Coordinates of all heavy atoms in Angstrom, one line a residue:
M1 N 28.9 141.7 143.1 CA 28.9 142.7 144.2 C 30.2 143.6 144.2 O 30.1 144.7 144.3 CB 28.8 141.9 145.6 CG 28.5 142.8 146.8 SD 26.9 143.7 146.6 CE 27.0 144.7 148.0
T2 N 31.3 142.9 144.1 CA 32.5 143.6 144.1 C 32.6 144.6 142.9 O 33.0 145.8 143.1 CB 33.8 142.7 144.1 OG1 33.7 141.8 145.1 CG2 35.1 143.4 144.1
S3 N 32.3 144.1 141.7 CA 32.3 145.0 140.5 C 31.3 146.1 140.7 O 31.6 147.2 140.2 CB 32.1 144.2 139.3 OG 30.8 143.6 139.3
E4 N 30.2 145.9 141.4 CA 29.3 147.0 141.5 C 29.9 148.1 142.4 O 29.7 149.3 142.2 CB 28.0 146.5 142.1 CG 26.9 147.6 142.0 CD 25.7 147.3 143.0 OE1 25.5 146.2 143.3 OE2 25.2 148.3 143.4
I5 N 30.6 147.7 143.4 CA 31.2 148.7 144.3 C 32.2 149.5 143.5 O 32.2 150.8 143.6 CB 32.0 148.0 145.4 CG1 31.0 147.4 146.4 CG2 32.9 149.0 146.2 CD1 31.6 146.5 147.5
D6 N 32.9 148.9 142.6 CA 33.9 149.7 141.8 C 33.2 150.7 140.9 O 33.7 151.8 140.7 CB 34.7 148.8 140.9 CG 35.7 148.0 141.7 OD1 36.0 148.5 142.9 OD2 36.3 147.0 141.2
T7 N 32.0 150.4 140.4 CA 31.4 151.3 139.4 C 30.7 152.5 140.1 O 30.5 153.5 139.5 CB 30.3 150.6 138.6 OG1 29.4 150.0 139.4 CG2 31.0 149.5 137.7
V8 N 30.4 152.3 141.4 CA 29.8 153.5 142.1 C 30.7 154.4 142.8 O 30.3 155.4 143.3 CB 28.6 152.9 143.1 CG1 27.6 152.3 142.3 CG2 29.2 152.2 144.2
T9 N 32.0 153.9 143.0 CA 32.9 154.8 143.7 C 33.1 156.1 142.9 O 33.3 156.1 141.7 CB 34.2 154.1 144.0 OG1 35.0 155.0 144.8 CG2 34.9 153.7 142.8
P10 N 33.1 157.3 143.6 CA 33.3 158.5 142.9 C 34.8 158.7 142.6 O 35.2 159.7 142.0 CB 32.9 159.6 143.9 CG 32.2 158.8 145.0 CD 32.7 157.4 145.0
V11 N 35.7 157.8 143.0 CA 37.1 158.0 142.8 C 37.5 157.4 141.4 O 37.2 156.2 141.1 CB 37.9 157.3 143.8 CG1 39.4 157.4 143.5 CG2 37.6 158.0 145.2
D12 N 38.2 158.1 140.6 CA 38.6 157.8 139.3 C 40.1 157.4 139.4 O 40.9 158.3 139.5 CB 38.4 159.0 138.3 CG 38.6 158.5 136.9 OD1 38.7 157.3 136.6 OD2 38.6 159.4 136.0
R13 N 40.4 156.1 139.3 CA 41.8 155.7 139.6 C 42.7 155.9 138.3 O 42.2 155.9 137.2 CB 41.9 154.3 140.0 CG 41.3 154.1 141.4 CD 41.3 152.6 141.8 NE 40.2 151.9 141.1 CZ 38.9 151.9 141.6 NH1 38.7 152.5 142.7 NH2 38.0 151.2 140.9
N14 N 44.0 156.2 138.6 CA 44.9 156.4 137.5 C 45.8 155.3 137.1 O 46.7 155.4 136.2 CB 45.7 157.7 137.8 CG 46.8 157.4 138.8 OD1 46.6 156.5 139.7 ND2 47.9 158.1 138.8
D15 N 45.6 154.2 137.7 CA 46.5 153.0 137.3 C 45.8 151.7 137.7 O 44.7 151.7 138.3 CB 47.9 153.1 137.8 CG 47.8 153.0 139.3 OD1 47.0 152.3 139.9 OD2 48.7 153.8 139.9
D16 N 46.3 150.6 137.3 CA 45.7 149.3 137.6 C 46.5 148.5 138.6 O 46.4 147.3 138.8 CB 45.5 148.5 136.3 CG 44.5 149.1 135.4 OD1 43.5 149.6 135.9 OD2 44.7 149.1 134.2
E17 N 47.5 149.1 139.2 CA 48.3 148.4 140.2 C 47.5 148.0 141.4 O 46.6 148.6 141.8 CB 49.5 149.3 140.6 CG 50.5 149.5 139.6 CD 51.6 150.4 140.1 OE1 52.0 150.3 141.3 OE2 52.0 151.3 139.3
P18 N 47.8 146.8 141.9 CA 47.1 146.3 143.1 C 47.1 147.4 144.2 O 48.1 147.9 144.5 CB 47.9 145.1 143.5 CG 48.6 144.7 142.3 CD 48.9 145.9 141.6
R19 N 46.0 147.5 144.8 CA 45.9 148.4 146.0 C 45.2 147.7 147.1 O 44.3 146.9 146.8 CB 45.2 149.7 145.6 CG 45.8 150.4 144.4 CD 45.1 151.8 144.4 NE 45.5 152.5 143.1 CZ 45.3 153.7 142.9 NH1 44.8 154.5 143.8 NH2 45.7 154.3 141.7
R20 N 45.5 148.2 148.3 CA 44.7 147.7 149.4 C 43.3 148.1 149.3 O 43.0 149.2 148.9 CB 45.4 148.3 150.7 CG 44.9 147.6 151.9 CD 45.7 148.1 153.1 NE 44.9 148.0 154.3 CZ 45.2 148.6 155.5 NH1 46.3 149.3 155.6 NH2 44.4 148.5 156.5
R21 N 42.4 147.2 149.6 CA 41.0 147.5 149.4 C 40.4 147.8 150.9 O 40.9 147.3 151.8 CB 40.3 146.3 148.8 CG 40.7 146.0 147.5 CD 39.9 144.9 146.9 NE 38.6 145.4 146.6 CZ 38.1 145.8 145.5 NH1 38.9 145.7 144.4 NH2 36.9 146.2 145.3
Y22 N 39.3 148.5 150.8 CA 38.7 148.9 152.0 C 37.2 148.6 152.0 O 36.5 148.9 151.0 CB 38.9 150.4 152.4 CG 40.3 150.7 152.7 CD1 41.3 150.9 151.7 CD2 40.7 150.7 154.0 CE1 42.6 151.1 152.0 CE2 42.1 151.0 154.3 CZ 43.0 151.2 153.3 OH 44.3 151.4 153.6
E23 N 36.6 148.2 153.1 CA 35.2 148.0 153.2 C 34.7 149.3 153.8 O 35.1 149.7 154.8 CB 34.8 146.8 154.1 CG 35.2 145.4 153.6 CD 34.2 145.0 152.5 OE1 33.1 145.5 152.5 OE2 34.6 144.2 151.7
L24 N 33.7 149.9 153.1 CA 33.2 151.1 153.5 C 31.9 150.9 154.2 O 31.0 150.2 153.7 CB 33.0 152.2 152.4 CG 34.3 152.5 151.6 CD1 33.9 153.5 150.5 CD2 35.4 153.0 152.5
E25 N 31.7 151.5 155.4 CA 30.5 151.4 156.1 C 29.8 152.7 156.2 O 30.4 153.7 156.2 CB 30.7 150.8 157.5 CG 31.2 149.3 157.5 CD 31.7 148.9 158.9 OE1 31.5 149.7 159.9 OE2 32.3 147.8 159.0
E26 N 28.5 152.7 156.3 CA 27.7 153.9 156.5 C 28.2 154.6 157.7 O 28.5 154.0 158.8 CB 26.2 153.5 156.7 CG 25.5 153.3 155.5 CD 24.8 154.5 155.0 OE1 25.0 155.6 155.6 OE2 24.2 154.4 154.0
T27 N 28.4 155.9 157.6 CA 28.8 156.7 158.8 C 27.8 157.8 159.2 O 28.1 158.7 160.0 CB 30.2 157.5 158.4 OG1 29.9 158.3 157.2 CG2 31.2 156.5 158.0
G28 N 26.6 157.6 158.6 CA 25.6 158.6 159.0 C 25.7 159.9 158.3 O 25.2 160.9 158.8
F29 N 26.4 159.9 157.2 CA 26.5 161.1 156.4 C 25.3 161.3 155.5 O 25.1 160.6 154.5 CB 27.8 161.0 155.5 CG 28.2 162.3 154.8 CD1 28.9 163.3 155.5 CD2 27.7 162.7 153.6 CE1 29.3 164.4 154.9 CE2 28.0 163.9 153.0 CZ 28.8 164.8 153.7
M30 N 24.4 162.2 155.9 CA 23.1 162.3 155.3 C 23.0 163.3 154.2 O 21.9 163.5 153.6 CB 22.0 162.7 156.4 CG 22.1 161.7 157.6 SD 21.8 160.0 157.1 CE 20.0 160.0 156.9
E31 N 24.1 164.0 153.9 CA 24.0 165.1 152.9 C 23.9 164.7 151.4 O 23.8 165.5 150.5 CB 25.2 166.1 153.1 CG 25.1 167.0 154.3 CD 25.6 166.3 155.5 OE1 25.7 165.1 155.6 OE2 25.9 167.1 156.5
V32 N 24.2 163.4 151.2 CA 24.1 162.9 149.8 C 23.1 161.7 149.8 O 22.8 161.1 150.8 CB 25.5 162.4 149.3 CG1 26.5 163.6 149.3 CG2 26.1 161.3 150.2
P33 N 22.7 161.3 148.6 CA 21.7 160.2 148.5 C 22.3 158.9 149.1 O 23.5 158.7 149.1 CB 21.5 160.0 147.0 CG 21.8 161.4 146.4 CD 22.9 161.9 147.3
A34 N 21.4 158.1 149.5 CA 21.8 156.9 150.3 C 22.9 156.1 149.7 O 23.8 155.6 150.4 CB 20.5 156.0 150.5
R35 N 22.9 155.8 148.4 CA 23.9 154.9 147.8 C 25.3 155.5 147.9 O 26.3 154.8 147.6 CB 23.5 154.5 146.4 CG 23.6 155.6 145.4 CD 23.2 155.0 144.0 NE 24.1 154.1 143.5 CZ 24.3 153.9 142.2 NH1 23.7 154.6 141.3 NH2 25.1 152.9 141.8
W36 N 25.4 156.8 148.1 CA 26.7 157.5 148.1 C 27.2 157.7 149.5 O 28.4 158.1 149.7 CB 26.6 158.8 147.3 CG 26.1 158.7 145.9 CD1 24.8 158.9 145.5 CD2 26.9 158.2 144.8 NE1 24.8 158.6 144.2 CE2 26.0 158.2 143.7 CE3 28.2 157.9 144.6 CZ2 26.4 157.9 142.4 CZ3 28.6 157.6 143.3 CH2 27.8 157.5 142.3
R37 N 26.4 157.5 150.5 CA 26.7 157.9 151.9 C 28.0 157.4 152.4 O 28.7 158.0 153.1 CB 25.6 157.7 152.8 CG 24.5 158.7 152.7 CD 23.3 158.5 153.6 NE 22.2 159.3 153.1 CZ 21.0 159.0 153.3 NH1 20.6 157.9 153.9 NH2 20.0 159.8 152.8
R38 N 28.3 156.1 152.1 CA 29.5 155.5 152.6 C 30.8 156.0 152.1 O 31.8 155.7 152.5 CB 29.4 154.0 152.5 CG 29.3 153.5 151.1 CD 28.7 152.1 151.0 NE 28.7 151.7 149.6 CZ 29.7 151.0 149.0 NH1 30.7 150.6 149.7 NH2 29.6 150.7 147.7
F39 N 30.7 156.9 151.0 CA 31.9 157.4 150.4 C 32.3 158.7 151.0 O 33.2 159.4 150.6 CB 31.7 157.6 148.9 CG 31.5 156.3 148.2 CD1 30.3 156.0 147.6 CD2 32.6 155.4 148.0 CE1 30.1 154.8 147.0 CE2 32.4 154.3 147.4 CZ 31.2 153.9 146.8
Y40 N 31.5 159.1 152.1 CA 31.8 160.4 152.7 C 31.7 160.2 154.2 O 30.9 159.4 154.7 CB 30.9 161.5 152.2 CG 31.0 161.7 150.7 CD1 30.1 161.1 149.9 CD2 32.0 162.5 150.2 CE1 30.3 161.2 148.5 CE2 32.1 162.7 148.8 CZ 31.2 162.0 148.0 OH 31.4 162.1 146.6
R41 N 32.3 161.0 154.9 CA 32.1 161.1 156.4 C 32.5 162.5 156.9 O 33.3 163.2 156.2 CB 32.9 160.1 157.2 CG 34.4 160.2 157.2 CD 34.9 159.1 158.1 NE 36.4 159.2 158.2 CZ 37.1 160.0 159.0 NH1 36.5 160.8 159.8 NH2 38.4 159.9 159.0
H42 N 32.1 162.9 158.1 CA 32.5 164.2 158.6 C 33.8 164.1 159.3 O 34.1 163.1 160.0 CB 31.4 164.7 159.6 CG 30.1 165.1 159.0 ND1 30.0 166.3 158.2 CD2 28.9 164.5 158.9 CE1 28.7 166.3 157.8 NE2 28.0 165.2 158.2
W43 N 34.6 165.1 159.2 CA 35.9 165.2 159.9 C 35.6 165.5 161.3 O 34.8 166.4 161.6 CB 36.7 166.3 159.2 CG 38.0 166.6 159.9 CD1 38.3 167.7 160.7 CD2 39.2 165.7 160.0 NE1 39.6 167.5 161.2 CE2 40.1 166.3 160.8 CE3 39.5 164.5 159.4 CZ2 41.4 165.8 161.0 CZ3 40.7 163.9 159.7 CH2 41.7 164.5 160.4
R44 N 36.1 164.7 162.2 CA 35.8 164.8 163.6 C 36.7 165.8 164.4 O 36.6 165.9 165.6 CB 35.8 163.5 164.3 CG 34.7 162.5 163.8 CD 34.6 161.2 164.5 NE 35.8 160.5 164.4 CZ 36.0 159.6 163.5 NH1 35.1 159.3 162.5 NH2 37.1 158.8 163.4
G45 N 37.6 166.4 163.7 CA 38.4 167.5 164.3 C 39.6 166.9 165.0 O 40.1 165.7 164.6
A46 N 40.2 167.6 165.9 CA 41.4 167.2 166.6 C 41.3 165.8 167.1 O 40.2 165.4 167.7 CB 41.7 168.1 167.8
G47 N 42.2 164.9 166.9 CA 42.1 163.5 167.3 C 41.7 162.6 166.2 O 41.9 161.4 166.2
D48 N 41.1 163.2 165.1 CA 40.7 162.3 164.0 C 41.9 162.1 163.1 O 42.9 162.9 163.2 CB 39.6 163.1 163.2 CG 38.8 162.1 162.3 OD1 39.2 161.0 162.1 OD2 37.8 162.6 161.7
S49 N 41.9 161.1 162.3 CA 43.0 160.9 161.4 C 42.5 160.3 160.1 O 41.4 159.7 160.1 CB 44.1 160.1 162.0 OG 43.6 158.8 162.3
L50 N 43.2 160.4 159.0 CA 42.8 159.9 157.7 C 43.4 158.6 157.5 O 44.6 158.3 157.7 CB 43.2 160.9 156.6 CG 42.4 162.3 156.6 CD1 43.1 163.1 155.5 CD2 41.0 162.1 156.4
A51 N 42.6 157.6 157.0 CA 43.1 156.3 156.5 C 43.7 156.5 155.1 O 43.5 157.6 154.5 CB 42.0 155.3 156.5
P52 N 44.5 155.6 154.6 CA 45.1 155.7 153.3 C 44.1 155.7 152.2 O 44.5 156.1 151.0 CB 45.9 154.3 153.1 CG 46.2 153.9 154.6 CD 45.0 154.3 155.4
N53 N 42.9 155.5 152.5 CA 41.8 155.6 151.4 C 40.9 156.8 151.6 O 39.9 156.9 151.1 CB 40.9 154.3 151.4 CG 40.1 154.2 152.8 OD1 40.6 154.5 153.8 ND2 38.9 153.8 152.6
E54 N 41.4 157.8 152.5 CA 40.6 158.9 152.7 C 41.4 160.2 152.5 O 42.6 160.3 152.6 CB 40.2 159.0 154.2 CG 39.2 157.8 154.6 CD 38.9 157.8 156.1 OE1 39.7 158.3 156.9 OE2 37.8 157.4 156.4
V55 N 40.7 161.3 152.1 CA 41.2 162.6 151.9 C 40.2 163.6 152.2 O 39.0 163.4 152.0 CB 41.8 162.7 150.4 CG1 40.6 162.8 149.4 CG2 42.7 163.9 150.3
I56 N 40.7 164.8 152.7 CA 39.7 165.8 153.0 C 39.5 166.7 151.9 O 40.4 167.2 151.2 CB 40.3 166.7 154.2 CG1 40.3 165.8 155.5 CG2 39.4 167.9 154.4 CD1 40.6 166.6 156.7
C57 N 38.2 167.1 151.6 CA 37.9 168.0 150.6 C 38.3 169.4 151.1 O 37.9 169.8 152.1 CB 36.4 168.0 150.2 SG 35.9 169.4 149.2
P58 N 39.2 170.1 150.3 CA 39.6 171.4 150.8 C 38.6 172.5 150.8 O 38.8 173.6 151.4 CB 40.9 171.8 149.9 CG 40.6 171.0 148.6 CD 39.8 169.7 149.1
V59 N 37.6 172.2 150.1 CA 36.5 173.2 150.0 C 35.5 173.1 151.1 O 35.2 174.1 151.8 CB 35.7 173.0 148.6 CG1 34.6 174.0 148.5 CG2 36.7 173.2 147.5
C60 N 34.9 171.9 151.3 CA 33.9 171.8 152.4 C 34.3 171.0 153.6 O 33.5 170.8 154.5 CB 32.6 171.2 151.8 SG 32.8 169.5 151.3
K61 N 35.6 170.5 153.6 CA 36.2 169.8 154.7 C 35.5 168.5 155.1 O 35.6 167.9 156.2 CB 36.2 170.7 156.0 CG 36.7 172.1 155.8 CD 38.1 172.1 155.3 CE 38.6 173.5 155.1 NZ 39.9 173.5 154.4
V62 N 34.8 167.9 154.1 CA 34.2 166.6 154.3 C 35.3 165.5 153.9 O 36.2 165.8 153.2 CB 33.0 166.5 153.3 CG1 32.8 165.0 152.9 CG2 31.8 167.0 154.0
V63 N 35.3 164.4 154.5 CA 36.3 163.4 154.2 C 35.7 162.5 153.1 O 34.6 161.9 153.2 CB 36.5 162.5 155.5 CG1 37.5 161.4 155.1 CG2 37.1 163.4 156.6
I64 N 36.4 162.4 152.1 CA 36.0 161.5 150.9 C 36.7 160.2 151.1 O 37.9 160.2 151.3 CB 36.4 162.2 149.6 CG1 35.8 163.6 149.5 CG2 36.0 161.4 148.4 CD1 36.3 164.5 148.4
R65 N 36.0 159.1 150.9 CA 36.5 157.8 151.1 C 36.5 157.0 149.8 O 35.5 157.0 149.1 CB 35.7 157.1 152.2 CG 35.6 158.0 153.5 CD 34.4 157.5 154.3 NE 34.8 156.4 155.1 CZ 34.0 155.4 155.5 NH1 32.7 155.4 155.0 NH2 34.5 154.4 156.2
S66 N 37.5 156.2 149.6 CA 37.6 155.3 148.4 C 37.6 153.9 148.8 O 38.0 153.6 150.0 CB 38.9 155.6 147.7 OG 39.1 154.7 146.7
T67 N 37.1 153.0 148.0 CA 37.2 151.6 148.3 C 38.6 151.0 148.2 O 38.9 149.9 148.6 CB 36.3 150.7 147.4 OG1 36.6 151.1 146.0 CG2 34.8 151.1 147.6
R68 N 39.6 151.8 147.6 CA 41.0 151.4 147.6 C 41.8 152.6 148.1 O 41.4 153.7 148.1 CB 41.3 151.0 146.2 CG 40.6 149.8 145.7 CD 41.1 149.3 144.5 NE 40.1 148.4 143.8 CZ 40.4 147.8 142.7 NH1 41.5 148.0 142.0 NH2 39.5 147.0 142.1
E69 N 43.1 152.2 148.5 CA 44.0 153.3 148.9 C 44.1 154.3 147.8 O 44.1 154.0 146.6 CB 45.3 152.7 149.3 CG 46.1 152.1 148.2 CD 47.4 151.6 148.6 OE1 48.4 152.4 148.7 OE2 47.6 150.3 148.8
L70 N 44.3 155.6 148.2 CA 44.5 156.7 147.3 C 45.9 156.8 146.9 O 46.8 156.6 147.7 CB 43.9 157.9 147.9 CG 42.4 158.0 148.0 CD1 42.0 159.2 148.9 CD2 41.7 158.1 146.7
R71 N 46.1 157.3 145.7 CA 47.5 157.6 145.2 C 47.5 158.9 144.4 O 46.5 159.3 143.9 CB 48.0 156.5 144.3 CG 48.2 155.2 145.1 CD 48.8 154.1 144.2 NE 49.0 152.9 144.9 CZ 49.2 151.7 144.4 NH1 49.4 151.6 143.1 NH2 49.3 150.6 145.1
P72 N 48.7 159.5 144.4 CA 48.8 160.8 143.6 C 48.3 160.6 142.2 O 48.6 159.6 141.6 CB 50.3 161.1 143.7 CG 50.8 160.4 144.9 CD 50.0 159.2 145.1
G73 N 47.5 161.5 141.7 CA 47.0 161.5 140.3 C 45.6 161.0 140.3 O 44.9 161.2 139.2
D74 N 45.1 160.3 141.3 CA 43.7 159.9 141.4 C 42.8 161.2 141.3 O 43.1 162.2 141.9 CB 43.4 159.1 142.7 CG 44.0 157.8 142.7 OD1 44.5 157.3 141.6 OD2 43.9 157.1 143.8
K75 N 41.7 161.0 140.6 CA 40.7 162.1 140.6 C 39.6 161.7 141.5 O 39.1 160.6 141.5 CB 40.3 162.4 139.2 CG 41.4 162.9 138.3 CD 40.9 163.7 137.2 CE 42.0 164.3 136.4 NZ 42.9 163.3 135.8
V76 N 39.2 162.7 142.3 CA 38.2 162.5 143.3 C 37.0 163.5 143.1 O 37.3 164.7 142.7 CB 38.8 162.7 144.7 CG1 37.7 162.5 145.8 CG2 39.9 161.7 144.9
Y77 N 35.8 163.1 143.3 CA 34.7 164.0 143.2 C 34.0 164.1 144.6 O 33.7 163.2 145.2 CB 33.7 163.5 142.2 CG 32.4 164.3 142.0 CD1 32.5 165.6 141.6 CD2 31.2 163.8 142.3 CE1 31.4 166.4 141.4 CE2 30.1 164.6 142.2 CZ 30.2 165.9 141.7 OH 29.0 166.6 141.6
C78 N 33.8 165.4 145.0 CA 33.1 165.6 146.3 C 31.7 166.0 145.9 O 31.4 167.0 145.4 CB 33.8 166.8 147.0 SG 33.0 167.1 148.6
M79 N 30.8 165.0 146.2 CA 29.4 165.3 145.9 C 28.8 166.4 146.7 O 28.0 167.2 146.2 CB 28.6 164.0 146.0 CG 27.2 164.0 145.5 SD 26.4 162.4 145.6 CE 27.1 161.6 144.2
P80 N 29.1 166.4 148.0 CA 28.4 167.5 148.8 C 28.7 168.9 148.3 O 27.8 169.8 148.3 CB 29.1 167.3 150.2 CG 29.4 165.8 150.2 CD 29.9 165.5 148.8
C81 N 29.9 169.2 147.7 CA 30.1 170.6 147.3 C 30.4 170.6 145.8 O 30.7 171.6 145.2 CB 31.2 171.3 148.0 SG 32.9 170.7 147.6
M82 N 30.3 169.4 145.1 CA 30.4 169.3 143.7 C 31.8 169.8 143.1 O 31.9 170.4 142.1 CB 29.3 170.1 142.9 CG 27.9 169.5 143.3 SD 26.6 170.1 142.3 CE 26.5 171.8 142.9
S83 N 32.8 169.6 144.0 CA 34.2 169.9 143.5 C 34.9 168.7 142.9 O 34.7 167.6 143.4 CB 35.0 170.4 144.7 OG 34.5 171.6 145.3
R84 N 35.7 168.9 141.9 CA 36.5 167.9 141.4 C 37.9 168.2 141.8 O 38.4 169.3 141.8 CB 36.5 167.8 139.9 CG 35.1 167.3 139.4 CD 35.0 167.1 137.9 NE 33.7 166.9 137.5 CZ 33.1 165.7 137.6 NH1 33.8 164.7 138.1 NH2 31.8 165.6 137.3
M85 N 38.6 167.2 142.2 CA 40.0 167.4 142.7 C 40.9 166.2 142.3 O 40.5 165.1 141.9 CB 40.0 167.6 144.2 CG 39.3 166.6 145.0 SD 38.8 167.3 146.6 CE 37.1 167.8 146.0
V86 N 42.2 166.5 142.4 CA 43.2 165.4 142.1 C 44.1 165.2 143.4 O 44.3 166.2 144.1 CB 44.0 165.9 140.9 CG1 44.8 167.2 141.2 CG2 45.0 164.7 140.5
I87 N 44.5 164.0 143.6 CA 45.3 163.7 144.7 C 46.7 164.1 144.5 O 47.3 163.7 143.5 CB 45.2 162.2 145.1 CG1 43.7 161.8 145.3 CG2 46.1 161.9 146.3 CD1 43.1 162.4 146.5
V88 N 47.3 164.9 145.4 CA 48.7 165.2 145.3 C 49.4 164.9 146.6 O 48.8 164.8 147.6 CB 48.8 166.8 145.0 CG1 48.2 167.1 143.6 CG2 48.2 167.6 146.1
V89 N 50.7 165.0 146.5 CA 51.5 164.8 147.8 C 51.8 166.2 148.4 O 52.4 167.1 147.7 CB 52.9 164.1 147.5 CG1 53.7 164.0 148.8 CG2 52.6 162.7 146.9
G90 N 51.3 166.5 149.6 CA 51.4 167.8 150.2 C 52.8 168.0 150.8 O 53.7 167.1 150.7
E91 N 53.0 169.2 151.3 CA 54.3 169.6 151.8 C 54.8 168.6 152.9 O 56.0 168.4 153.1 CB 54.3 171.0 152.4 CG 54.2 172.1 151.3 CD 54.0 173.4 151.9 OE1 54.3 173.6 153.1 OE2 53.6 174.3 151.2
D92 N 53.9 168.1 153.7 CA 54.4 167.2 154.8 C 54.5 165.7 154.4 O 54.6 164.8 155.2 CB 53.4 167.3 156.0 CG 52.0 167.0 155.6 OD1 51.7 166.6 154.4 OD2 51.1 167.1 156.5
G93 N 54.3 165.5 153.0 CA 54.4 164.2 152.5 C 53.2 163.3 152.5 O 53.1 162.2 152.1
R94 N 52.1 164.0 153.1 CA 50.8 163.2 153.1 C 50.0 163.5 151.9 O 50.2 164.6 151.2 CB 50.1 163.6 154.4 CG 50.8 163.3 155.7 CD 50.1 163.7 156.9 NE 48.8 163.0 157.0 CZ 48.1 162.9 158.1 NH1 48.6 163.4 159.2 NH2 47.0 162.3 158.2
L95 N 49.0 162.7 151.6 CA 48.2 163.0 150.4 C 47.2 164.1 150.7 O 46.6 164.1 151.8 CB 47.5 161.7 150.1 CG 48.4 160.6 149.6 CD1 47.5 159.3 149.2 CD2 49.2 161.0 148.4
E96 N 47.0 164.9 149.7 CA 46.0 166.0 149.9 C 45.3 166.0 148.6 O 45.7 165.6 147.5 CB 46.8 167.4 150.1 CG 47.5 167.5 151.3 CD 48.3 168.8 151.4 OE1 48.2 169.6 150.4 OE2 48.9 169.1 152.4
A97 N 44.1 166.7 148.6 CA 43.3 166.9 147.4 C 43.4 168.3 147.0 O 43.3 169.3 147.8 CB 41.8 166.5 147.7
E98 N 43.6 168.5 145.7 CA 43.7 169.8 145.1 C 42.7 170.0 144.1 O 42.4 169.2 143.2 CB 45.1 169.9 144.4 CG 45.6 171.3 144.1 CD 47.1 171.2 143.7 OE1 47.3 170.9 142.5 OE2 48.0 171.5 144.5
V99 N 41.9 171.1 144.2 CA 40.7 171.3 143.4 C 41.1 171.6 142.0 O 42.1 172.3 141.7 CB 39.9 172.5 144.0 CG1 38.7 172.7 143.0 CG2 39.3 172.1 145.3
I100 N 40.5 171.0 141.0 CA 40.7 171.2 139.6 C 39.5 171.8 138.9 O 38.4 171.5 139.4 CB 41.2 169.9 138.8 CG1 40.2 168.8 139.1 CG2 42.5 169.6 139.2 CD1 40.6 167.5 138.4
F101 N 39.6 172.6 137.9 CA 38.4 173.2 137.3 C 38.3 172.8 135.8 O 39.2 172.2 135.3 CB 38.6 174.7 137.3 CG 38.7 175.3 138.7 CD1 39.9 175.4 139.4 CD2 37.5 175.5 139.4 CE1 40.0 175.9 140.7 CE2 37.6 176.0 140.8 CZ 38.8 176.2 141.4
Ligands
ZN201 ZN1 33.6 169.2 149.2

């Protein structure tokens, strides 16, 4: 079960260091096929916040979720808008996703 979760996550990790793991639950995100839904959620706006395993897609503003905490250099795929991005440290020190082509 655990290894299957790893193979379906759209996040491509850049190292093998231990990371905090997260259980992802369905959030009612219907824009992608069922097996991928728990990897995405809608940003709820003011008052919402990102967990260490979440990042916002700068293109479509969907929240992308990983089964482990995100780190700079991780590559992330946003299925709803088909963007590929890499995790970087933003100006405020928080993790952001930067689109790569
Ligand atoms: Zn997107």
